[in-house]
Structures are given as C-alpha cells and as structure tokens.
Amino acid sequence: MLRKSIFFVVFVLMIGMMVACSSNNNEESSAEQPEEETETTEDNTESQEREDSDENGTNEEETGEEGNEEDNTENQEPIYYIDEETASILPIEDADEEVVLLTIDDAPDEYALEMAETLQEKDAKAIFFVNGHFIEDEEGQEALKTIHEMGFPIGNHTYSHPVIPEIPEDEQTEEIVSLNDKIEEIIGERPQFFRAPHGANSDHSREVVKEEGMVLMNWTYGFDYFEEYQDADKLKEALISGEAPEIDINYSLLQSGANILMHDREWTNEALGDVIDGLRDQGYEMADPNLIETLE
C-alpha cells in the first residue's frame, strides 16, 4: 500500500513537470515571434525609405535639370538688335552675322498654324505679326495661343490694318494699344515688336510704340504681296535669291541681316519650307527673334 502511494506521488510529480516544461516552451516561442516580426517590419521600412529617397533624389535631379533648361532659355542675353533705320537685324559683339530674320504679317488668318508647323519642323523661328480682327473669335484666339506656345514671338500689326498716317492720332493710339491689350488677354504677354501696315508710320505712332515698350521694325525685302509673285514657285525663287525681275529688282536684296517679309497667304505657306532650305544652302541661318534686344 505504501509503495503504491509513493508510486502515485512520483507519477503526479512527473506529469506536473512535463506540463510546466510544455508551458515554458510555448511562452518562449511566443516571446521570440514578435521580435522576428519587428525585425522584418524594420527591414521593410528601411528598404522603403531607401527606395523613396532614391526616387525623390531622381525626381529632384530631373526637376532641377528641367528648371535649369527653362532658366537658361529665359536668362539668355540678347545677341542681336534691330537697326530701326534699315530694319536689318545686326549682331551684338561677336554673334553670327550670317543670319536673316523671318517675319510673317497678317496672322493668324488661314495658314499661320501650318506655317508655324513648317518652321518648327525646319527648326527655324519667325515673328508672327498679328492683326486684331483675326483674333476676335475663339478659333483665332486658339490659333494665337498655339503659335505662342510653340515658341514664336507675337508682334503687333495694328487692330484693323489701317494706313496709320491717314487716320487721326487718337485712332492710331487705339489701333496699337487695344491690340496689345487683346493679345495680353489671350496669351498673358504684351507684344515686344511692332510693324505698321504697309510700313507707314507717323510721328505719333512712333511715340505710342515707344511708350508701349515695343521695338519698331519694317523689313528689308519681301515679294508675296505683289501679284507677280502670288505663285509658290516664283515666290520661292525670289525670296531665296532676293531678286524680283518682274517688279524691276534685278539685283539681290539678300544679304546678312536681311529682314524678310512674308504674309499669311496660301502661296507663301506652300513656298516656306523650300525658302528656308534655300536660304540655308546659301549659308544663312534663321535668326531666333527671342534673342533680339527689346525695350523691356
């Protein structure tokens, strides 16, 4: 009886020890598991932070490079100026002299957008001189915005294309200033260049142009408004050579600094690409009007 009692006590103690060991093992296992999860979470967080840092660094570098490009364009110093007496584009200091300036009047009528696209394809620039009656409707305003967004400077060619010396001074002022206001309303900038219709200025219009902070310019040659040259092939030959025998110009007007007049016309639109190529074949590059010295 005594032996049975002793055996029973020993058996109970063994069972108790086994239960206790099992409980301790479970507690140790439970205690270790959160540490592993914590380490994994910390590793993931550090990895994500490194990735975010790399991405931010790349974005900051890319943004910085784009910003620098824009700043470089905006901060470029002028390298040309317009001689008001001759209308030629002349170099400041050591800028390339073998350049000509392309200008397009009476825009944006029917072909200005196509002409802007041709210029862009040929990596050439021009000034688009605008009339107010072409930007009264939504279509004209959208065309003006597009040309401006393509990087082409917008010039003032008066609101309704009058012969300036033939109208009263108050109307001269209105023709110039109201168009500047209209253009600024559409593209957010006032024009920095002015060209009078028919090249006809008055003392008063010159004063208004100066007060408005614009560079006044005429042109050195252009033929597309003569009936004899309202043909793409004839016009191309005339503009590339600077000669127009049909109107008694048998000597070349093409020279360094030429300010070439064109218009928003079908035949000029058709000839434009070949004109640019032809001028380059003769050693001339198209000047960037964004690099012309202005009054502001």
Side-chain angles (χ1 to χ4, degrees):
M1 185 66 176
L2 178 61
R3 288 179 183 176
K4 289 183 178 179
S5 298
I6 293 171
F7 178 80
F8 179 79
V9 171
V10 172
F11 178 79
V12 170
L13 289 173
M14 289 177 66
I15 294 299
M17 291 175 65
M18 291 174 63
V19 171
C21 288
S22 176
S23 176
N24 289 338
N25 288 337
N26 290 336
E27 289 176 1
E28 289 176 1
S29 177
S30 299
E32 290 175 357
Q33 185 65 31
E35 291 180 3
E36 293 177 357
E37 291 179 357
T38 301
E39 289 175 0
T40 302
T41 302
E42 289 175 355
D43 290 342
N44 290 339
T45 302
E46 290 175 3
S47 176
Q48 185 64 44
E49 288 175 352
R50 283 195 297 271
E51 291 177 4
D52 291 344
S53 176
D54 291 341
E55 289 178 0
N56 289 338
T58 301
N59 290 338
E60 287 172 2
E61 289 176 2
E62 291 176 352
T63 302
E65 289 174 0
E66 292 175 359
N68 288 338
E69 288 178 3
E70 291 178 1
D71 290 342
N72 289 339
T73 301
E74 292 176 358
N75 295 330
Q76 277 185 299
E77 292 293 326
I79 60 175
Y80 297 103
Y81 72 96
I82 298 295
D83 184 322
E84 187 173 320
E85 184 175 344
T86 66
S88 299
I89 178 172
L90 301 177
I92 297 174
E93 297 181 350
D94 58 351
D96 184 10
E97 295 182 2
E98 300 299 306
V99 298
V100 295
L101 178 64
L102 302 183
T103 62
I104 300 169
D105 287 10
D106 299 351
D109 192 0
E110 294 186 45
Y111 304 97
L113 275 177
E114 290 183 37
M115 297 176 82
E117 290 169 358
T118 299
L119 287 161
Q120 194 170 62
E121 290 170 3
K122 296 289 184 179
D123 192 25
K125 294 290 187 181
I127 301 174
F128 283 78
F129 283 97
V130 170
N131 291 122
H133 54 260
F134 291 130
I135 56 173
E136 291 180 336
D137 60 15
E138 185 176 352
E139 182 179 0
Q141 291 172 16
E142 287 302 315
L144 176 61
K145 285 180 184 177
T146 301
I147 293 169
H148 174 256
E149 289 169 357
M150 292 170 74
F152 298 105
I154 304 301
N156 182 319
H157 196 41
T158 71
Y159 203 98
S160 64
H161 206 274
V163 179
I164 286 180
E166 297 180 1
I167 62 176
E169 290 187 353
D170 60 335
E171 292 183 20
Q172 295 178 30
T173 300
E174 181 68 15
E175 284 283 341
I176 298 168
V177 176
S178 66
L179 179 54
N180 276 355
D181 293 341
K182 185 72 173 179
I183 291 173
E184 183 178 28
E185 177 185 327
I186 296 169
I187 66 172
E189 297 178 10
R190 296 178 80 78
Q192 294 185 313
F193 302 100
F194 175 79
R195 173 173 285 162
H198 316 287
N201 285 285
S202 68
D203 289 341
H204 180 73
S205 71
R206 290 177 183 275
E207 186 62 32
V208 173
V209 168
K210 184 177 179 180
E211 290 173 355
E212 286 289 299
M214 292 186 289
V215 173
L216 184 147
M217 70 167 74
N218 278 332
W219 60 89
T220 59
Y221 77 89
F223 308 121
D224 66 351
Y225 54 97
F226 290 100
E227 184 176 353
E228 293 84 350
Y229 292 99
Q230 293 178 7
D231 171 86
D233 290 333
K234 287 185 177 181
L235 177 62
K236 175 177 67 176
E237 182 178 350
L239 290 177
I240 293 172
S241 67
E243 299 177 7
E246 285 85 349
I247 55 174
D248 297 326
I249 299 178
N250 297 307
Y251 53 93
S252 179
L253 296 172
L254 175 63
Q255 58 185 348
S256 298
N259 188 332
I260 301 176
L261 168 66
M262 294 180 285
H263 292 79
D264 182 340
R265 299 289 186 271
E266 180 179 7
W267 47 91
T268 312
N269 178 40
E270 292 175 6
L272 181 57
D274 289 336
V275 170
I276 294 169
D277 291 341
L279 291 171
R280 284 177 170 156
D281 288 343
Q282 297 200 62
Y284 295 99
E285 187 50 63
M286 313 306 111
D288 185 348
N290 292 298
L291 298 178
I292 296 175
E293 185 176 56
T294 58
L295 302 183
E296 293 184 348

